[in-house]
Amino acid sequence: MEKYFDRLWPILRSITGEGVRETHRILSEIIPLEHMEIPSGTEVLDWTVPDEWVVREAYVITPEKRKILDVKENNLHLLNYSIGFRGKVSREELESHLYSLPENPTAIPYVTSYYQPRWGFCISHRERERLPQGEYEVVVDCEHKKGSMTLSQCVLPGKTRNEVLISAYTCHPSLANNELCGPLIAAFLYRRLTALKERKLTYRFFFGPETIGAIAQLDQDGDRLKRDLLAGYVLTCIGTNAPLQYKRSRLGTSLADRAAELVLKTHAKAPVRTLDFFPTGSNERQYCSQGFNLPVGSLFRTRYDEYPEYHTSLDNREFVSFTAMEETVDVCFQILQALELNRRYRAKHTRGEPCFSKHGLKPSFEDLKGLQWLNSLSDGENDLIVISKLSGHSLPHLANLATQCVHAGLLEPVE
Amino acid sequence: MEKYFDRLWPILRSITGEGVRETHRILSEIIPLEHMEIPSGTEVLDWTVPDEWVVREAYVITPEKRKILDVKENNLHLLNYSIGFRGKVSREELESHLYSLPENPTAIPYVTSYYQPRWGFCISHRERERLPQGEYEVVVDCEHKKGSMTLSQCVLPGKTRNEVLISAYTCHPSLANNELCGPLIAAFLYRRLTALKERKLTYRFFFGPETIGAIAQLDQDGDRLKRDLLAGYVLTCIGTNAPLQYKRSRLGTSLADRAAELVLKTHAKAPVRTLDFFPTGSNERQYCSQGFNLPVGSLFRTRYDEYPEYHTSLDNREFVSFTAMEETVDVCFQILQALELNRRYRAKHTRGEPCFSKHGLKPSFEDLKGLQWLNSLSDGENDLIVISKLSGHSLPHLANLATQCVHAGLLEPVE
Amino acid sequence: MEKYFDRLWPILRSITGEGVRETHRILSEIIPLEHMEIPSGTEVLDWTVPDEWVVREAYVITPEKRKILDVKENNLHLLNYSIGFRGKVSREELESHLYSLPENPTAIPYVTSYYQPRWGFCISHRERERLPQGEYEVVVDCEHKKGSMTLSQCVLPGKTRNEVLISAYTCHPSLANNELCGPLIAAFLYRRLTALKERKLTYRFFFGPETIGAIAQLDQDGDRLKRDLLAGYVLTCIGTNAPLQYKRSRLGTSLADRAAELVLKTHAKAPVRTLDFFPTGSNERQYCSQGFNLPVGSLFRTRYDEYPEYHTSLDNREFVSFTAMEETVDVCFQILQALELNRRYRAKHTRGEPCFSKHGLKPSFEDLKGLQWLNSLSDGENDLIVISKLSGHSLPHLANLATQCVHAGLLEPVE
């Protein structure tokens, strides 16, 4: 994972462009992605796919002829989606095109201007304060041209068309927690899934720019998702070793929510922070918009609006933990397994408990309790996730006992 | 406010009589009241309007010829609604007509006897213990005669007949927290409202005796209120500088409740105490009786059953705070503004977020969040109060953004 | 109660057999029980009534010719429901038939083998470790023969067929908290009830073995109970002086639940622990099975799975408290009285409060509050238990005031 991180880190990404394509090509080495190119100008829901951004070079020459703010040194130096410019400007004029953070003086901020055409550079406040008076030469050799926006996905088919969506975005250049860890975890999660002998569910992995990418996906596939999607998760800000958190779908008690909360609670050392849906955040804003209202929640560790390194050059390799990322892959995999194992049953002996020994079951004391929970609560409505949550018995343990009960003629699966 | 307090304080009020009329006349200098006189003997719901009480003088002459318990010195000395009596009594007989508080020996209690005819005096326990043996001369020159009960109201019309009720009572003589501060705050709240350029809602201010006053109001106007009343508030025990509290209407989640709780929460330094409806208390007992079940809550600071000075001479000018009363006027005004600003909208772009920039909106980062909340939650059911509560964005801020969205064609108001 | 405890303690009980019959005969001295014998082999719901267990003698002779593990010394020594065996075995072979608790070395465990035929002895781990090598003579003079299972009940009729069930089990030999205190408390509760002048409700006391006893009861009487049962309580693990706890019926807000929670809360010195239904535990598992779903909760003090003495010789006379048992009888009796007193009323004056004095009521200040609660909340749905819970007024106090209101024409009872 570290190796891929280091290859993907220096690429200049934005919502469109060659950097995105290169990123998706590298991710394809881990997960077999199908690429889609949506032409600039295409109407997608209320939005329009923008022109493609081409950056050749961008830097500034100081009055002392030092080259600074070179995009080749740090992607963040160039205002993302900047228009082109070439000329000589005074320090005063340059100032009106600079972005820095006085309260965080060593950080280069990450600033975008997707929908207002302007040029600019991002600079640490410390460096900004040291800029001398004089004439600066500015080179922003960029262009916005008709092209396309790149989306990629991979579908791993299961026995049913019931679908699980894993969604990550790929539009932030050289930002680690938000965002590079998200697509990496998604890609490695795919690997874990392919190791499963059989899958009941179909899995869809989606990569594209934040917001407009999900908008385009929903434009094309939203109505079908509304029919088939069982659960989905947006991975965002998920690279640190802070405890995993879960933000519920707008539905609030969707299967996505119940599975994630059960697994997080099972694995947590401390009380898990789960949040009700709120319409600011990442792509769950689109998936959970009123008109789609899909069962999509969001997993994260250090949330976008809760860390000072957010959207700065300090959100870097040192800020994240590869150990935690491995653990995240594992927890995500267990959430998917919970979805795989989850089922509803209907008990056949509902007047009093069944006499388990009569049906060939000779349970241990602990298994007996699990059998009592299963046979008492299986009414065709309660699923294993509910029973696991109420009983404290693990979902795999209950699933195993339920299979025994089906063979013994005590439970019948409900579909 | 202090000036009016001092003019109203010495007046001898009861549920009927000249003192009430004088009180309403003085309040009319602040708020233009329309007076109603309901004749004694009128049946109002399950009740009957009582005779009018006329007090000319009331005092006791001690064996040493000292005049004590003079109603001219303190209104509380005379049992409220006392019948007349004139005669010489022994100390023992006098004792059976005296009311005092052994556990609060310096306080003169406030005692009423509206529905049992008897005469009596209220006295501090300390003074009572010092009464010598001997013959006392008692003068209670009172009378109950056919007359009327005085109710007053003021209606401030708005663009719609949707109505807000502010209700305060005027039957307690020389008691500050419970009650004089209530009608004063109501009257000064009226002044704040008249300063508004335009009002969507109609406001009704009601003043009358507690219980029977509200009963008579409901008898006359209850069915219309059931149709038009959007929200109402009873102001009681609201003169101190203890934190404001809110008691919900019986409905529990009425607009009255939601507006008051939002505003109190916004302005509070500490967690706000809000109470579910209970059928003891003040006039909300009548407004929220089963048969009317109006959306009327109650605002107070130091509640009737939670302070030892309640219904004694210690509930006086020193016990209350004019600064707090000004603040209460302000908080009440903000509750009314919340009702004015509150609206429901329906979002037009519900499949994904709208592209705000495309619709001419160039929001700041904070405004963008407000726009996301508004457009995501506006489904024709959630109103601005709900969205403000969930988002933490202030109601005026959201109302402002909503207006921008209406102009931009993103939201449409729902009525 | 102590006297009966001491007579019942030494009897060898199991799910069937003469020990159970003797137990029920002794209980009949306190409560007039009707006995039912269900023949071995009878199908009851999913179960079959087992053969009757006859124990003549059971012991082991050590290589040094000491008689040990004699069932006459402690009922727990013999594996409950053991099959017969007579022979000489090595220490190694004997070991495979011994049950002890290494983590609780002074306790003789209580072990049963109802549905797997085997012989065995239970022994303290300390004694087990001291067993010498050599040949042991084993005598288990037992037999399983066609016979019957004994159930007993007592019905105390009331004015209506609405029924309350008190259920306790009688299959554990020489175990005090779990179980002997349960049937004793049930029997003495019967005595308290007979002292009542009149009873609205019919009371049924049921005694039988755990699980299969309730299964047989439901097989015979379950459908009628579904119609008539208003509330029921399983008494289990209820002999210590730990605080009383309540486990709700599966219905969760049944009358049984609301009455028990109200009374426990009223009598508790500390917050009462109440638990949602779970399908492990005692006979409530059967009563609350999906197909019956009866309003039956469970009362206990030191729960089955929460004390190390559970199912060992340490759950004995010293472990329980007769004072606490008397108190439990009292609390149970108050729960039954709550069920007797509980009623729904409908207020006649619902538009505003009634004028109580007009209807001949001259309430004290405290009674006035009770009247306000009753008249405000009595809508034909809220019962006195609800009003008591919300108001804090005791149920007997409210019932008394409600009767006054009925006489005054303010409330009418609802059936």
Side-chain angles (χ1 to χ4, degrees):
Chain A
M1 213 183 255
E2 291 194 58
K3 201 183 59 184
Y4 281 103
F5 182 94
D6 291 337
R7 285 173 63 196
L8 291 165
W9 176 260
I11 300 172
L12 175 52
R13 279 178 289 277
S14 182
I15 50 176
T16 59
E18 200 48 48
V20 180
R21 274 183 211 103
E22 177 63 11
T23 299
H24 287 206
R25 265 195 297 271
I26 293 175
L27 287 172
S28 292
E29 298 175 19
I30 319 169
I31 172 173
L33 291 175
E34 177 194 350
H35 307 295
M36 295 163 281
E37 297 288 343
I38 320 272
S40 301
T42 307
E43 302 281 327
V44 285
L45 301 177
D46 189 42
W47 300 62
T48 308
V49 174
D51 283 348
E52 200 173 314
W53 189 41
V54 180
V55 179
R56 278 174 292 262
E57 56 178 353
Y59 57 82
V60 170
I61 306 290
T62 65
E64 316 99 314
K65 304 300 169 200
R66 275 195 307 118
K67 190 191 246 187
I68 59 167
L69 301 176
D70 190 348
V71 72
K72 291 207 177 75
E73 253 178 43
N74 191 322
N75 285 317
L76 301 183
H77 277 321
L78 181 57
L79 174 70
N80 203 289
Y81 235 63
S82 173
I83 59 173
F85 178 78
R86 195 177 279 265
K88 304 208 165 169
V89 299
S90 68
R91 192 190 140 178
E92 284 64 40
E93 195 182 337
L94 180 63
E95 282 280 350
S96 71
H97 292 270
L98 293 184
Y99 302 89
S100 69
L101 299 168
E103 71 284 8
N104 203 351
T106 65
I108 306 164
Y110 163 60
V111 185
T112 67
S113 187
Y114 298 140
Y115 301 101
Q116 272 188 292
R118 47 181 172 154
W119 68 265
F121 285 91
C122 300
I123 182 170
S124 77
H125 201 68
R126 190 157 298 167
E127 188 173 0
R128 181 179 193 160
E129 287 180 321
R130 284 192 299 238
L131 293 181
Q133 292 295 337
E135 196 182 63
Y136 287 79
E137 188 190 339
V138 174
V139 175
V140 187
D141 186 1
C142 296
E143 167 182 20
H144 291 85
K145 58 163 200 187
K146 293 287 160 208
S148 62
M149 176 174 73
T150 308
L151 308 179
S152 296
Q153 59 179 18
C154 166
V155 177
L156 188 62
K159 285 184 168 178
T160 67
R161 72 178 186 194
N162 291 329
E163 200 167 298
V164 177
L165 170 68
I166 302 295
S167 180
Y169 49 89
T170 53
C171 52
H172 294 59
S174 305
L175 294 168
N177 180 52
N178 175 35
E179 85 183 12
L180 194 46
C181 300
L184 275 174
I185 286 167
F188 279 87
L189 178 58
Y190 168 85
R191 281 205 180 162
R192 289 289 296 274
L193 269 181
T194 55
L196 284 183
K197 270 206 304 281
E198 66 170 38
R199 287 174 304 273
K200 185 173 66 166
L201 307 174
T202 293
Y203 294 87
R204 181 175 303 265
F205 291 81
F206 178 83
F207 302 89
E210 208 175 6
T211 306
I212 180 98
I215 291 279
Q217 179 191 18
L218 288 170
D219 183 83
Q220 294 190 356
D221 202 24
D223 290 321
R224 192 200 58 78
L225 283 169
K226 218 165 157 39
R227 190 192 62 198
D228 293 344
L229 195 70
L230 213 61
Y233 302 99
V234 170
L235 307 185
T236 176
C237 297
I238 197 164
T240 70
N241 59 15
L244 268 164
Q245 298 182 42
Y246 181 68
K247 172 184 171 180
R248 295 186 189 97
S249 70
R250 184 186 187 107
L251 294 158
T253 56
S254 69
L255 182 57
D257 302 322
R258 297 190 301 113
E261 289 180 49
L262 182 73
V263 170
L264 258 64
K265 200 181 155 195
T266 306
H267 292 271
K269 284 133 209 154
V272 176
R273 196 165 159 218
T274 49
L275 307 163
D276 279 335
F277 178 74
F278 49 87
T280 61
S282 184
N283 280 337
E284 68 279 6
R285 280 157 31 210
Q286 315 308 332
Y287 298 129
C288 300
S289 58
Q290 286 184 52
F292 292 107
N293 202 7
L294 297 172
V296 177
S298 175
L299 285 158
F300 44 85
R301 285 182 180 270
T302 300
R303 201 176 76 186
Y304 21 87
D305 49 1
E306 294 185 340
Y307 66 112
E309 297 85 355
Y310 173 71
H311 273 195
T312 77
S313 55
L314 302 181
D315 182 357
N316 56 26
R317 200 187 204 281
E318 277 77 58
F319 188 63
V320 297
S321 155
F322 288 93
T323 312
M325 284 164 69
E326 299 282 1
E327 189 206 19
T328 304
V329 171
D330 191 57
V331 171
C332 289
F333 181 63
Q334 290 183 53
I335 293 173
L336 303 185
Q337 275 199 301
L339 294 170
E340 285 284 335
L341 288 174
N342 192 45
R343 252 175 204 73
R344 290 182 164 77
Y345 297 92
R346 190 172 284 119
K348 291 198 189 157
H349 295 274
T350 58
R351 290 165 64 92
E353 251 170 33
C355 181
F356 296 111
S357 62
K358 217 175 183 176
H359 299 275
L361 296 172
K362 294 195 172 119
S364 69
F365 187 65
E366 202 48 31
D367 282 359
L368 174 60
K369 288 188 176 181
L371 291 174
Q372 290 174 327
W373 276 98
L374 279 171
N375 282 272
S376 180
L377 267 71
S378 289
D379 57 359
E381 282 303 313
N382 294 320
D383 59 16
L384 294 185
I385 290 176
V386 165
I387 301 175
S388 175
K389 183 179 168 189
L390 291 175
S391 70
H393 291 262
S394 84
L395 187 57
H397 180 230
L398 289 175
N400 179 2
L401 292 175
T403 305
Q404 293 179 36
C405 285
V406 170
H407 292 145
L410 293 175
L411 293 180
E412 58 181 358
V414 172
E415 208 50 46
Chain B
M1 212 183 258
E2 289 193 60
K3 200 183 60 184
Y4 281 103
F5 182 94
D6 291 337
R7 284 172 64 195
L8 291 164
W9 176 259
I11 299 172
L12 175 52
R13 278 177 290 277
S14 181
I15 50 176
T16 58
E18 200 48 46
V20 179
R21 274 182 211 105
E22 175 63 11
T23 299
H24 287 206
R25 265 194 298 271
I26 293 174
L27 287 171
S28 292
E29 298 175 19
I30 318 169
I31 172 173
L33 292 175
E34 178 195 350
H35 307 295
M36 294 163 283
E37 297 288 343
I38 320 273
S40 301
T42 307
E43 302 282 326
V44 285
L45 301 177
D46 189 43
W47 300 61
T48 308
V49 173
D51 284 349
E52 200 173 316
W53 189 42
V54 181
V55 178
R56 277 173 292 263
E57 55 178 355
Y59 56 85
V60 170
I61 306 289
T62 65
E64 315 100 313
K65 306 300 168 197
R66 274 195 308 118
K67 191 191 246 185
I68 60 168
L69 302 176
D70 190 347
V71 72
K72 291 206 178 76
E73 255 179 39
N74 191 321
N75 285 315
L76 301 183
H77 277 320
L78 180 59
L79 173 70
N80 203 290
Y81 235 63
S82 173
I83 58 173
F85 178 80
R86 193 177 281 266
K88 302 205 167 172
V89 300
S90 68
R91 191 191 141 177
E92 285 64 40
E93 194 182 337
L94 180 64
E95 280 281 352
S96 70
H97 292 271
L98 293 184
Y99 302 89
S100 69
L101 299 168
E103 72 282 9
N104 204 352
T106 64
I108 306 164
Y110 164 60
V111 184
T112 67
S113 187
Y114 298 140
Y115 301 101
Q116 273 188 291
R118 48 180 172 156
W119 66 267
F121 285 91
C122 300
I123 183 170
S124 76
H125 201 68
R126 191 158 294 167
E127 187 173 0
R128 181 180 193 158
E129 287 179 320
R130 284 193 299 240
L131 293 180
Q133 292 296 334
E135 197 182 63
Y136 286 78
E137 188 190 337
V138 173
V139 174
V140 187
D141 186 0
C142 296
E143 169 183 15
H144 291 84
K145 58 164 198 184
K146 292 288 160 207
S148 62
M149 176 174 73
T150 309
L151 307 178
S152 296
Q153 58 181 19
C154 165
V155 177
L156 188 61
K159 283 184 170 177
T160 67
R161 72 178 186 195
N162 291 329
E163 200 167 299
V164 177
L165 170 69
I166 303 294
S167 179
Y169 49 89
T170 52
C171 52
H172 293 59
S174 305
L175 292 167
N177 180 51
N178 175 34
E179 82 182 14
L180 193 46
C181 300
L184 275 174
I185 286 167
F188 279 88
L189 179 58
Y190 168 86
R191 280 206 181 160
R192 289 289 296 274
L193 269 181
T194 55
L196 284 183
K197 269 205 306 280
E198 67 170 34
R199 287 174 305 273
K200 185 174 65 166
L201 307 173
T202 293
Y203 294 87
R204 181 175 303 265
F205 292 80
F206 177 84
F207 303 88
E210 208 176 5
T211 306
I212 179 95
I215 291 280
Q217 178 191 18
L218 288 169
D219 183 82
Q220 294 190 355
D221 202 25
D223 290 320
R224 191 199 59 78
L225 283 169
K226 217 162 159 39
R227 190 191 62 197
D228 293 343
L229 194 71
L230 213 62
Y233 302 98
V234 170
L235 307 184
T236 176
C237 296
I238 197 163
T240 70
N241 60 15
L244 268 165
Q245 299 183 40
Y246 182 68
K247 171 183 172 182
R248 295 186 189 96
S249 72
R250 183 186 188 108
L251 293 158
T253 56
S254 68
L255 182 57
D257 301 324
R258 298 189 299 113
E261 290 181 48
L262 182 72
V263 170
L264 259 63
K265 200 180 155 198
T266 306
H267 291 271
K269 285 132 208 157
V272 176
R273 196 166 159 217
T274 49
L275 306 163
D276 280 333
F277 178 74
F278 48 88
T280 61
S282 183
N283 279 338
E284 68 279 6
R285 280 157 32 211
Q286 314 309 332
Y287 298 128
C288 300
S289 57
Q290 285 184 52
F292 293 107
N293 202 7
L294 297 172
V296 177
S298 174
L299 286 158
F300 44 84
R301 287 183 179 267
T302 298
R303 200 177 77 185
Y304 20 86
D305 49 1
E306 294 185 340
Y307 66 112
E309 296 84 355
Y310 173 72
H311 273 194
T312 76
S313 55
L314 302 181
D315 182 356
N316 55 27
R317 201 187 205 280
E318 277 78 57
F319 188 63
V320 298
S321 154
F322 288 93
T323 312
M325 285 164 69
E326 299 283 1
E327 188 206 20
T328 303
V329 171
D330 191 55
V331 171
C332 289
F333 180 64
Q334 290 183 52
I335 294 173
L336 303 186
Q337 275 198 300
L339 294 169
E340 286 284 335
L341 288 173
N342 192 44
R343 251 175 203 71
R344 290 181 164 79
Y345 296 92
R346 189 171 284 119
K348 291 198 187 156
H349 295 275
T350 59
R351 291 165 63 92
E353 251 169 35
C355 181
F356 295 110
S357 63
K358 217 176 184 175
H359 298 275
L361 296 172
K362 295 199 170 116
S364 69
F365 187 64
E366 203 48 33
D367 282 358
L368 174 60
K369 289 188 175 181
L371 291 174
Q372 289 173 328
W373 276 99
L374 279 172
N375 282 272
S376 180
L377 267 73
S378 289
D379 58 0
E381 282 304 313
N382 294 320
D383 59 17
L384 294 185
I385 290 177
V386 165
I387 301 175
S388 175
K389 183 179 167 188
L390 291 175
S391 70
H393 290 262
S394 83
L395 187 57
H397 180 229
L398 290 174
N400 179 1
L401 292 174
T403 304
Q404 292 178 36
C405 285
V406 170
H407 292 146
L410 294 176
L411 293 179
E412 59 182 356
V414 173
E415 207 50 45
Chain C
M1 211 184 257
E2 291 194 58
K3 202 182 60 185
Y4 282 103
F5 183 94
D6 292 337
R7 284 171 64 195
L8 292 164
W9 176 259
I11 299 172
L12 175 52
R13 279 178 290 277
S14 181
I15 50 176
T16 59
E18 201 47 48
V20 180
R21 275 183 211 104
E22 176 63 9
T23 299
H24 287 206
R25 265 194 297 271
I26 294 174
L27 287 171
S28 292
E29 299 175 18
I30 318 169
I31 172 173
L33 291 175
E34 177 193 351
H35 307 295
M36 295 162 281
E37 297 288 343
I38 320 271
S40 301
T42 307
E43 302 282 325
V44 285
L45 301 177
D46 189 42
W47 300 61
T48 308
V49 173
D51 283 349
E52 200 173 314
W53 190 41
V54 181
V55 179
R56 279 173 291 262
E57 56 178 355
Y59 56 83
V60 169
I61 305 288
T62 65
E64 316 101 312
K65 305 300 170 202
R66 274 194 309 118
K67 190 191 244 185
I68 59 166
L69 301 176
D70 190 350
V71 72
K72 291 205 178 74
E73 254 179 39
N74 191 322
N75 285 316
L76 301 184
H77 277 320
L78 180 59
L79 173 71
N80 202 289
Y81 234 64
S82 174
I83 59 174
F85 178 78
R86 193 178 281 264
K88 303 207 168 172
V89 300
S90 67
R91 191 190 141 179
E92 285 65 39
E93 194 180 339
L94 180 64
E95 280 281 352
S96 71
H97 292 271
L98 293 184
Y99 302 90
S100 69
L101 299 169
E103 72 282 9
N104 203 352
T106 64
I108 306 164
Y110 164 60
V111 185
T112 68
S113 187
Y114 298 140
Y115 301 101
Q116 272 189 289
R118 49 180 172 157
W119 67 266
F121 285 91
C122 300
I123 183 171
S124 77
H125 202 68
R126 190 158 296 166
E127 187 173 0
R128 182 180 194 158
E129 287 180 320
R130 283 193 300 239
L131 293 180
Q133 291 295 336
E135 196 181 61
Y136 287 78
E137 187 190 340
V138 172
V139 174
V140 186
D141 186 0
C142 297
E143 166 182 19
H144 291 84
K145 58 164 197 186
K146 293 287 162 209
S148 63
M149 175 174 74
T150 308
L151 308 179
S152 296
Q153 59 180 20
C154 166
V155 177
L156 188 61
K159 285 185 168 177
T160 67
R161 72 179 185 194
N162 291 329
E163 200 167 299
V164 177
L165 170 68
I166 302 294
S167 180
Y169 49 88
T170 53
C171 52
H172 294 60
S174 306
L175 292 167
N177 180 51
N178 175 35
E179 82 182 14
L180 194 46
C181 300
L184 275 174
I185 286 166
F188 279 88
L189 178 59
Y190 167 84
R191 281 205 180 162
R192 290 289 296 274
L193 268 182
T194 55
L196 284 183
K197 270 205 304 280
E198 65 170 36
R199 287 173 305 274
K200 184 174 67 167
L201 307 174
T202 292
Y203 294 87
R204 181 175 303 264
F205 292 81
F206 178 83
F207 302 88
E210 208 176 4
T211 304
I212 179 98
I215 291 281
Q217 178 191 19
L218 288 169
D219 183 83
Q220 294 190 356
D221 202 23
D223 290 321
R224 191 200 58 78
L225 283 169
K226 217 163 160 39
R227 189 191 63 197
D228 293 344
L229 195 70
L230 211 62
Y233 302 98
V234 171
L235 307 185
T236 176
C237 297
I238 197 164
T240 69
N241 59 16
L244 269 164
Q245 299 183 41
Y246 182 69
K247 171 183 171 181
R248 294 186 189 94
S249 70
R250 183 186 187 107
L251 293 159
T253 56
S254 70
L255 183 58
D257 302 323
R258 297 189 299 114
E261 290 181 49
L262 182 72
V263 170
L264 259 65
K265 199 180 155 195
T266 306
H267 291 271
K269 284 134 208 154
V272 176
R273 196 166 158 217
T274 49
L275 306 163
D276 279 334
F277 178 75
F278 50 87
T280 61
S282 184
N283 279 338
E284 68 279 6
R285 281 158 31 211
Q286 315 308 333
Y287 298 128
C288 300
S289 58
Q290 285 184 53
F292 293 107
N293 202 8
L294 297 173
V296 177
S298 174
L299 285 158
F300 44 84
R301 285 183 180 268
T302 299
R303 200 177 76 185
Y304 20 87
D305 49 0
E306 293 185 340
Y307 67 110
E309 297 85 354
Y310 174 71
H311 273 194
T312 76
S313 56
L314 302 181
D315 181 357
N316 55 26
R317 200 187 206 281
E318 277 77 59
F319 188 63
V320 298
S321 154
F322 288 93
T323 313
M325 285 164 69
E326 299 283 0
E327 188 206 22
T328 304
V329 171
D330 191 56
V331 171
C332 289
F333 181 63
Q334 290 183 54
I335 293 172
L336 303 186
Q337 275 199 301
L339 294 169
E340 285 284 337
L341 288 174
N342 192 43
R343 252 176 202 72
R344 289 181 164 79
Y345 297 91
R346 189 171 284 118
K348 291 198 189 157
H349 294 275
T350 59
R351 291 166 63 91
E353 251 170 33
C355 180
F356 295 110
S357 62
K358 217 177 184 175
H359 298 274
L361 296 172
K362 293 194 173 118
S364 69
F365 187 64
E366 203 48 32
D367 282 359
L368 173 61
K369 288 187 176 182
L371 291 174
Q372 289 174 328
W373 276 99
L374 279 171
N375 282 272
S376 181
L377 268 72
S378 289
D379 57 0
E381 281 304 313
N382 294 320
D383 59 15
L384 294 186
I385 290 176
V386 165
I387 300 175
S388 175
K389 184 179 168 189
L390 292 175
S391 70
H393 291 262
S394 83
L395 187 56
H397 180 229
L398 289 174
N400 179 0
L401 291 175
T403 305
Q404 293 178 36
C405 285
V406 171
H407 291 145
L410 293 176
L411 294 179
E412 59 182 356
V414 172
E415 209 52 45

